[in-house]
């Protein structure tokens, strides 16, 4: 029983986090008196990306459709701080994944105002790419062989690892070995969910559509831990440092790819070329420092691109 946090305060914080309105309010300067300024993607620090004349890229049915539509549709997450987050007031998406999506779009000939983001949950990514609901997808999407049977992947552009988020006052959970009998929440259709199911069957696994729903349940004592990639968890912990902490070692490798329709190899090749160019010219690092870097991760070297 936690004596220092009243249920109503916990619920209020959870609601605020869930709606991301806390972040929006702080960003607008409406924080409690005495709260430090929020850390968040700073528009002024973000690079702008040179829009290429991409007419030379021919033979991609996805790009042809986007050109005649007049804009790209990119799948993303909207509730993952520093990675992919939608401002509920303005509808604007921001974060490292969003920057990756924008730099790639610029190389394909689409300026930022010609990129429309669409939120797609972890469990629905393959279907969205297969049905043409999105042209490509950038949202903490691990490349693996199972998924490669259904979709294509450019990248990787970052490598994360599975970790655990617990309440700040938790003393029992230090790693996945401590999850026996504990309520652990993750997103359905994700690799971390699958790994707990197969490798830690004694854990009481709960699946929601989103990690923010899991975090809501963690703050209100409905679950004991949230598990997914460290990059995602560090963002939630950075937004609620008095309530939450990331614990334990990384217990997987999660190489993030840009999801594409499986058979559009021209698009996949063009995205790999674009990624390499933006890593080379410094855009990748600038984008990282202005987004994910704010959750406390130093910029790594970008991983080797895997063309297949
Ligand atoms: N990277 C993991 C995955 O692709 C977890 C994050 C997510 O669900 O987006 O399943």
């Amino acid at each position: 029983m936690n004596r220092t946090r009243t249920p109503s305060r916990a619920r209020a914080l959870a609601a605020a986090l869930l709606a991301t309105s806390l972040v929006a309010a702080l960003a607008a300067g409406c924080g409690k008196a005495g709260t430090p300024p929020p850390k968040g993607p700073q528009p002024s620090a973000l690079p702008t990306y040179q829009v290429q004349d991409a007419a030379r890229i021919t033979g991609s049915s996805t790009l042809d459709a986007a050109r005649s539509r007049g804009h790209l549709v990119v799948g993303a997450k909207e509730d993952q701080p520093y990675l992919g987050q939608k401002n509920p007031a303005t509808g604007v998406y921001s974060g490292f994944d969003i920057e990756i999506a924008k730099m790639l779009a610029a190389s394909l000939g689409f300026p930022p105002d010609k990129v429309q983001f669409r939120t797609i949950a972890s469990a629905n990514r393959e279907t969205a790419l297969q049905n043409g609901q999105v042209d490509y997808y950038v949202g903490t999407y691990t490349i693996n062989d199972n998924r490669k049977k259904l979709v294509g992947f450019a990248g990787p552009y970052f490598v994360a690892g599975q970790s655990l988020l617990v309440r700040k006052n938790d003393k029992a959970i230090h790693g996945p070995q401590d999850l026996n009998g504990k309520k652990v929440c993750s997103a359905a259709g994700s690799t971390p969910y699958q790994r707990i199911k197969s490798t830690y069957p004694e854990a009481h696994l709960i699946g929601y559509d989103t990690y923010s729903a899991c975090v809501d349940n963690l703050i209100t004592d409905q679950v004991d831990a949230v598990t997914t990639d460290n990059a995602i968890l560090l963002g939630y912990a950075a937004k609620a440092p008095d309530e939450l902490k990331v614990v334990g070692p990384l217990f997987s490798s999660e190489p993030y790819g840009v999801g594409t329709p499986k058979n559009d190899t021209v698009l996949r090749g063009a995205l790999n070329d674009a990624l390499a160019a933006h890593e080379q010219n410094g855009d990748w690092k600038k984008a990282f420092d202005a987004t994910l870097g704010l959750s406390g991760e130093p910029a790594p070297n970008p991983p080797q691109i895997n063309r297949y």
Side-chain angles (χ1 to χ4, degrees):
M1 175 76 189
N2 179 338
R3 290 167 199 285
T4 56
R5 194 182 59 237
T6 63
S8 63
R9 185 173 164 247
R11 260 198 298 279
L13 178 62
L17 266 176
L18 184 60
T20 61
S21 54
L22 173 67
V23 178
L26 289 172
C30 314
K32 274 190 298 194
T35 39
K39 292 192 290 176
Q42 304 297 318
S44 55
L46 291 172
T48 50
Y49 310 110
Q50 180 130 40
V51 180
Q52 305 289 320
D53 174 5
R56 65 197 155 74
I57 307 172
T58 57
S60 160
S61 54
T62 313
L63 268 185
D64 290 346
R67 284 174 182 137
S68 51
R69 191 192 304 130
H71 63 269
L72 277 171
V73 181
V74 178
K77 295 290 183 70
E78 67 170 39
D79 63 340
Q80 299 184 174
Y82 306 112
L83 283 158
Q85 197 167 30
K86 184 176 168 182
N87 180 320
T90 62
V92 173
Y93 288 71
S94 63
F96 184 57
D97 283 335
I98 303 304
E99 291 307 310
I100 294 288
K102 287 198 277 194
M103 65 180 80
L104 298 179
S107 299
L108 299 177
F110 293 87
D113 64 325
K114 298 286 182 220
V115 182
Q116 190 186 98
F117 287 99
R118 179 176 289 185
T119 301
I120 305 284
S122 295
N124 301 332
R125 292 181 283 211
E126 291 79 27
T127 317
L129 286 164
Q130 287 173 323
N131 294 350
Q133 281 169 267
V134 298
D135 297 321
Y136 56 88
Y137 185 96
V138 193
T140 60
Y141 195 12
T142 295
I143 303 170
N144 66 33
D145 288 343
N146 271 338
R147 289 174 176 169
K148 273 186 181 172
K149 291 177 194 151
L150 304 170
V151 300
F153 284 105
Y157 61 89
F158 183 73
V159 182
Q162 187 167 353
S163 191
L164 296 169
L165 183 74
V166 297
R167 285 181 291 274
K168 191 72 179 266
N169 60 3
D170 183 282
K171 294 194 173 57
I173 301 173
H174 308 284
Q177 73 283 355
D178 300 324
L179 295 176
N180 288 7
K182 302 279 188 203
K183 289 187 190 152
V184 186
C185 190
S186 194
S190 70
T191 50
Y193 180 95
Q194 202 48 51
R195 190 166 295 104
I196 295 295
K197 197 172 164 189
S198 57
T199 313
Y200 302 96
E202 302 296 311
H204 180 63
L205 180 61
I206 296 160
Y208 285 111
D209 283 352
T210 63
Y211 298 109
S212 55
C214 288
V215 172
D216 176 19
N217 279 269
L218 179 63
I219 288 171
T220 53
D221 297 340
Q222 310 296 304
V223 301
D224 303 304
V226 178
T227 189
T228 185
D229 306 334
N230 62 331
I232 301 172
L233 298 179
L234 285 168
Y236 292 121
K239 296 289 181 189
D242 296 336
E243 308 284 327
L244 304 172
K245 62 182 178 186
V246 178
V247 291
L250 304 185
F251 53 102
S252 75
S253 173
E254 309 287 334
Y256 289 173
V258 179
T260 65
K262 185 178 181 208
N263 295 324
D264 198 335
T265 51
V266 172
L267 177 63
R268 175 148 52 88
L271 290 170
N272 278 327
D273 292 345
L275 190 57
H278 289 284
E279 289 176 359
Q280 197 78 65
N281 73 6
D283 286 347
W284 185 97
K285 183 172 185 316
K286 266 190 238 165
F288 184 95
D289 288 342
T291 56
L292 200 49
L294 300 174
S295 68
E297 294 236 315
N301 288 323
Q304 179 82 41
I305 294 170
N306 176 20
R307 294 175 188 262
Y308 64 93

